[in-house]
Amino acid sequence: MHIHILGICGTFMGSLALLARDLGHTVTGSDANIYPPMSTQLADAGVEVWEGYHAEHLIPTPDLIVVGNACKRGMPAIEYMLNERLPYTSGPQFLYETVLKDRHVLAVAGTHGKTTTTTMLAWILQFSGIDTGFLIGGVPLVNTDDRRLSLAFQHSSYLGKQFFVIEADEYDSAFFDKRSKFVHYRPTTAILNNLEYDHADIFADLDAIQTQFHHMIRMIPSKGQIIIPADTPSLETTLNKGVWTTVVRTSLNGDAEWQAKLDANDGSSFWVHHNNTSAMVRWSMSGLHNVNNALTAIAAAHHVGVSVEMACTALSHFGGIKRRMELIGDVDDILVFDDFAHHPTAISTTLDGAKKRLTPRRIWAIIEPRSNTMKLGSHRPHLAASAAIADQVIWYEPQGLTWGLKEAIGSTPNQRVLDSINAIIEHIKTYAKAGDAIIIMSNGDFENIHGRLLDALSQP
């Protein structure tokens, strides 16, 4: 079958394209924004991608059009699809009908950490020899000598027969289906990592997001399991709307069925305790947020038969994923990292982990407020505080931002706002010195600042 995907370079739709190819379909796609790492993955997989949403991309007629949630009425391809009554569906619905309905689905939902936790969980199950499929909105970094695992994680989609691990996004499904994506997935095991206000472009308030989470909770079977961090009021409120499934709680240094105890202050090693069993994780990751992510992943893996010891061994071989504190360059002992953080909580937790991990290095944060919620200014009051732990912070104010970023940051010490990539690079080149660490934070390509900065630092 020939499947054409509109919006193919988004993390979800791109991963879906790779999965559809693994199912044996011919896959093509269109997108307005084509950039790595997804564009590179698709090209390496032989998936042809065309720029723009043009009607001619649907000629000859594909057997099915899968429509991404970035697509809107008025786009030539959408209008042609509707006028010609071509067959179409949403990405989440396509995924459920072709893959998920026959499998035990382990879904990872939450405002933060979905990609990281999903990758950890898929890694644990693969490492344990469990036949597992997965669809993840990120590219795993493999750190193992096991060739089978390396091959399985070359792409962010892989088809398994019995279990399927999926990053469960709360964003809407398509212009014709405004339910959250995860409502389609019908999981048996569900991780609800956290819940904060986000996606201001489609949700009016936190309660609207909680309603969508509860729609998913209503569909989890009583024989399943829901895993949440303890002391998370927004999730407890959601569960109070009604829950018919066993709820298991996790805690870092607290009272819960699953507990983690730090062995190293930066989270690079920690103990996991469950009932009368304890095991240690020593890994390349850091940060309390990643310890919490790991604990929920271990609990979910345990629900499908993985021992605590095996799960901890698996994570001790885990190499992380791209764009999550990924070291992309070292120029004369100035380290440059790429990170996906795009919400004040994610910025704060990432910088806290970096500060502990990279002491005594001076930490620079270069932040682009690129997400839809950021662009709308919904997080404006929390921005300066979210980056306060960094030694130096540069906020990028792109053209067209409708609210005052300079006013939001104000006179916060060691934080400044610059309105061009060249100005940011020039400032870093002038003031950064050996021993510093620079963390570039954005959920987009950030006008290729990563490569441009590394080139500039390499010049005399």
Side-chain angles (χ1 to χ4, degrees), residues 103-114:
R103 291 164 171 79
H104 178 128
V105 175
L106 299 94
V108 180
T111 308
H112 319 292
K114 289 187 294 294

Side-chain angles (χ1 to χ4, degrees), residues 173-362:
S173 297
F175 74 87
F176 51 86
D177 183 354
K178 307 313 286 184
R179 294 173 295 172
S180 289
K181 292 176 185 174
F182 55 45
V183 173
H184 293 275
Y185 300 157
R186 305 186 187 184
T188 299
T189 307
I191 293 175
L192 310 182
N193 248 355
N194 40 65
L195 182 51
E196 294 187 51
Y197 182 56
D198 200 5
H199 304 310
D201 50 328
I202 61 171
F203 293 116
D205 49 33
L206 179 61
D207 185 65
I209 305 176
Q210 289 173 309
T211 297
Q212 292 293 326
F213 269 72
H214 196 250
H215 288 336
M216 179 177 67
I217 289 170
R218 287 175 177 271
M219 304 171 76
I220 302 173
S222 56
K223 70 176 182 179
Q225 189 172 99
I226 297 172
I227 301 158
I228 69 169
D231 301 319
T232 309
S234 57
L235 288 175
E236 297 293 351
T237 299
T238 305
L239 293 175
N240 286 340
K241 295 175 182 286
V243 61
W244 301 265
T245 307
T246 299
V247 178
V248 170
R249 290 170 175 80
T250 64
S251 178
L252 178 58
N253 298 321
D255 183 18
E257 182 175 342
W258 287 88
Q259 297 182 31
K261 304 287 187 183
L262 293 183
D263 178 67
N265 186 49
D266 65 352
S268 59
S269 61
F270 58 94
W271 286 95
V272 174
H273 302 287
H274 174 65
N275 293 335
N276 296 318
T277 302
S278 298
M280 177 175 278
V281 174
R282 294 185 183 275
W283 61 350
S284 60
M285 305 284 283
S286 64
L288 301 186
H289 59 302
N290 280 322
V291 175
N292 283 314
N293 292 338
L295 190 57
T296 57
I298 292 168
H302 188 267
H303 186 231
V304 295
V306 179
S307 69
V308 176
E309 296 89 345
M310 176 62 77
C312 289
T313 299
L315 288 182
S316 294
H317 290 80
F318 181 67
I321 59 175
K322 296 184 74 65
R323 306 210 65 194
R324 270 67 175 182
M325 277 300 293
E326 178 190 0
L327 179 63
I328 58 172
D330 179 352
V331 180
D332 297 328
D333 199 31
I334 299 176
L335 305 183
V336 179
F337 294 86
D338 184 18
D339 193 83
F340 196 77
H342 62 282
H343 183 285
T345 299
I347 292 169
S348 177
T349 55
T350 297
L351 291 175
D352 178 72
K355 191 75 173 176
K356 292 173 179 174
R357 168 184 169 187
L358 298 172
T359 299
R361 290 182 181 271
R362 186 170 60 156

Side-chain angles (χ1 to χ4, degrees), residues 421-444:
I421 302 299
N422 287 337
I424 294 173
I425 292 173
E426 187 60 33
H427 185 86
I428 292 290
K429 188 172 180 181
T430 301
Y431 296 104
K433 57 187 180 182
D436 286 358
I438 300 167
I439 305 171
I440 300 172
M441 312 179 91
S442 171
N443 67 338

